[in-house]
């Protein structure tokens, strides 16, 4: 898994809720470290003040309009990239691989399915301080599989975790990927299989 110019590699994981992103991120981190790479795992929303406001909204603690959410995610994403302590750009420049749980693809899929898609897309893709990943790995599940996993492992649900919303969001993810296929490297992985099968496919995609 060589990296050009000694820069780290920016790997994003996406998927509807319950797709197994956390599990696969942890396995990939272990694999990269075993290969002698330095790895930094991160997620959106971030642990910043803006990220906390977003988590409150997603958890239903505070009400925000879809446009508010979309704009708040852009603000949090800019901070995520440029933070001088542990921002994405700093880590990559130091040769550290960055694995991120969710990125702008989620904004385009979640908020982009509830408000003007072009506006959400342009805010994210035209911002010079929001970096394009080296690869986006989309763990694909049907909404039915997603809900079964959520209901089997969670006490509470987020505002997007209903069959209807997950169906709309999954369809929107595919719209996003079709639109960005010439711009971004996007790999779709069947997440209904065993954890090890999924992991091995991801490792193969990155080699």
């Amino acid at each position: 898994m060589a990296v050009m110019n000694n820069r780290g590699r920016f790997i994003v994981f996406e998927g509807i809720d319950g797709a197994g992103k956390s599990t696969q991120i942890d396995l990939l981190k272990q694999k990269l470290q075993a290969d002698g790479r330095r790895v930094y795992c991160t997620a959106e929303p971030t642990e910043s003040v803006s990220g906390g406001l977003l988590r409150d909204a997603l958890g239903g603690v505070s009400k925000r309009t879809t446009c508010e959410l979309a704009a708040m995610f852009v603000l949090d994403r800019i901070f995520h990239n440029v933070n001088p302590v542990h921002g994405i750009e700093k880590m990559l420049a130091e040769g550290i691989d960055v694995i991120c749980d969710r990125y702008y693809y989620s904004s385009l899929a979640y908020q982009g399915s509830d408000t003007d898609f072009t506006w959400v897309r342009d805010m994210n893709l035209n911002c010079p301080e929001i970096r394009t990943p080296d690869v986006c790995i989309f763990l694909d599940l049907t909404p039915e599989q997603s809900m079964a996993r959520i209901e089997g492992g969670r006490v509470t649900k987020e505002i997007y975790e209903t069959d209807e919303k997950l169906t709309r969001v999954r369809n929107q993810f595919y719209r996003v990927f079709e639109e960005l296929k010439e711009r971004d490297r996007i790999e779709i992985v069947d997440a209904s299989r065993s954890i090890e099968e999924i992991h091995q496919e991801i490792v193969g995609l990155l080699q």
Side-chain angles (χ1 to χ4, degrees), residues 66-77:
T66 302
C67 287
E68 281 184 293
L69 283 174
M72 288 166 66
F73 266 112
V74 169
L75 176 64
D76 193 46
R77 192 160 293 129

Side-chain angles (χ1 to χ4, degrees), residues 127-143:
C127 177
E129 290 187 333
I130 293 179
R131 167 175 289 276
T132 302
D134 292 297
V135 61
C136 168
I137 296 168
F138 180 69
L139 300 179
D140 191 31
L141 276 186
T142 67

Side-chain angles (χ1 to χ4, degrees), residues 161-202:
E161 291 174 348
T162 67
D163 279 319
E164 178 185 358
K165 288 183 178 179
L166 288 172
T167 298
R168 188 168 73 251
V169 167
R170 181 174 182 251
N171 291 339
Q172 185 77 354
F173 264 119
Y174 274 93
R175 174 189 173 185
V176 170
F177 298 153
E178 179 64 25
E179 181 152 335
L180 300 185
K181 66 182 180 182
E182 302 299 327
R183 179 187 185 275
D184 293 24
R185 182 187 171 196
I186 297 160
E187 302 287 353
I188 298 174
V189 174
D190 178 2
S192 67
R193 298 168 299 162
S194 73
I195 290 172
E196 183 59 24
E197 285 178 306
I198 298 166
H199 171 62
Q200 290 303 324
E201 180 173 348
I202 291 168

Side-chain angles (χ1 to χ4, degrees), residues 13-134:
F13 276 78
E14 290 281 9
I16 61 175
D17 300 283
K21 297 188 306 302
S22 297
T23 298
Q24 292 302 327
I25 286 170
D26 187 57
L27 287 172
L28 181 59
K29 176 184 177 181
Q30 293 177 43
K31 166 62 176 169
L32 290 171
Q33 288 177 330
D35 288 344
R37 302 293 304 168
R38 292 183 295 159
V39 183
Y40 175 69
C41 290
T42 185
E44 293 190 352
T46 68
E47 296 298 323
S48 68
V49 173
S50 56
L53 293 173
L54 278 164
R55 283 191 295 276
D56 285 346
L58 294 171
V61 175
S62 60
K63 288 193 176 296
R64 300 281 184 173
T65 69
T66 302
C67 287
E68 281 184 293
L69 283 174
M72 288 166 66
F73 266 112
V74 169
L75 176 64
D76 193 46
R77 192 160 293 129
I78 292 170
F79 172 81
H80 200 184
N81 275 269
V82 305
N83 177 354
V85 179
H86 44 69
I88 293 168
E89 178 55 36
K90 178 178 184 290
M91 296 296 174
L92 295 175
E94 293 178 1
I96 300 170
D97 294 331
V98 175
I99 306 176
C100 186
D101 184 346
R102 297 203 180 282
Y103 200 53
Y104 56 65
Y105 309 95
S106 282
S107 285
L108 273 61
Y110 284 85
Q111 288 82 55
S113 65
D114 285 337
T115 189
D116 185 85
F117 174 80
T118 302
W119 175 68
V120 179
R121 180 197 65 198
D122 290 350
M123 271 199 304
N124 283 276
L125 303 190
N126 292 342
C127 177
E129 290 187 333
I130 293 179
R131 167 175 289 276
T132 302
D134 292 297

